Amino acid sequence: MITVSLVDDDRMLREGLRSWLAGADRLRLVAAEPTVDALLALPGPPAEVVLLDLVLRDDSRAEDNVRRLRAAGSRVLVVSTVADRTRIVSAVAAGADGYLTKDHSLETLTHAVCTIAGGGTAHSAELAFAWAYDAGPCRPQLAPRELEVLLDYASGLTLKATARRAGISVNTAKWYLDRVKEKYQEAGRPTYTKIDLARRVEEDGLGRV
């Protein structure tokens, strides 16, 4: 069983989700609170995954809530009816492991939570759209050759194969990848490994992973 907590200031939704998840074989709801403050004040270990509403009435920022929950030891799936691209992108850039709208099925939610609990990410069409059309500072501008090398390398090719396809040396390919990592880090999205690079490609809707 995967432990799940919910942060949402809609009381009806909190009670509804409690009943909804009662029928889920793999998920157990351990807490449902209106704010992150209230959730973090509860005794006991944190849930493996927190379902976090994007916009709460306490005026807290989604990205701050994500950082606090991640620091407490939980992974975060943002769920919302709000199609605010800027807020969605900011939440994921702050460390959220995925985004779903509230109109998805229990099966989709369960799959997303299980994926996140296993160390993966849950990306919906709405999130891909938000990234694809975001021009904010957290989306770095990559040069054409940087993007080419990133996509080939993140798709699973070795560094040597990536260099060969681009017609450049291995050292040059590595230099391009280092530049890509630097740009993401400067944008507040730490990127160090090949897995990180693949995740950024998926988050930004760049395709081909």
Side-chain angles (χ1 to χ4, degrees), residues 15-39:
E15 294 303 318
L17 189 65
R18 190 182 300 278
S19 299
W20 206 29
L21 290 183
D25 295 332
R26 302 180 62 185
L27 309 183
R28 181 167 63 92
L29 186 66
V30 296
E33 298 293 335
T35 65
V36 171
D37 283 340
L39 180 67

Side-chain angles (χ1 to χ4, degrees), residues 21-208:
L21 290 183
D25 295 332
R26 302 180 62 185
L27 309 183
R28 181 167 63 92
L29 186 66
V30 296
E33 298 293 335
T35 65
V36 171
D37 283 340
L39 180 67
L40 295 181
L42 296 176
E48 295 172 71
V49 179
V50 174
L51 308 179
L52 174 67
D53 193 8
L54 185 66
V55 180
L56 298 171
R57 285 193 290 267
D58 65 354
D59 293 326
S60 58
R61 299 196 310 162
E63 55 266 39
D64 293 335
N65 288 333
V66 169
R67 292 189 186 99
R68 294 178 66 196
L69 293 169
R70 290 301 303 264
S74 297
R75 298 178 70 85
V76 181
L77 174 61
V78 174
V79 289
S80 181
T81 57
V82 178
D84 187 320
R85 293 201 302 268
T86 300
R87 286 177 173 174
I88 294 169
V89 168
S90 296
V92 175
D97 301 284
Y99 170 82
L100 289 179
T101 54
K102 291 180 178 178
D103 58 354
H104 283 288
S105 66
L106 177 58
E107 181 181 4
T108 300
L109 177 64
T110 300
H111 178 72
V113 171
C114 291
T115 298
I116 288 173
T121 54
H123 297 295
S124 61
E126 296 87 358
L127 177 57
F129 181 84
W131 277 117
Y133 290 91
D134 178 65
C138 64
R139 183 182 171 94
Q141 298 301 307
L142 303 179
R145 183 50 67 93
E146 291 171 347
L147 179 59
E148 177 188 3
V149 170
L150 167 63
L151 291 177
D152 284 338
Y153 186 66
S155 71
L157 294 181
T158 63
L159 184 60
K160 185 176 181 179
T162 298
R164 183 167 59 247
R165 174 174 288 188
I168 57 180
S169 70
V170 172
N171 285 339
T172 301
K174 183 178 182 303
W175 182 83
Y176 280 124
L177 289 174
D178 287 342
R179 285 287 300 133
V180 170
K181 292 175 183 177
E182 288 175 7
K183 287 184 176 182
Y184 273 110
Q185 288 161 17
E186 289 169 359
R189 300 167 67 192
T191 303
Y192 304 104
T193 67
K194 189 171 188 174
I195 293 175
D196 291 338
L197 289 169
R199 181 177 181 181
R200 300 296 172 257
V201 169
E202 185 178 8
E203 289 170 348
D204 289 1
L206 300 175
R208 227 164 86 200

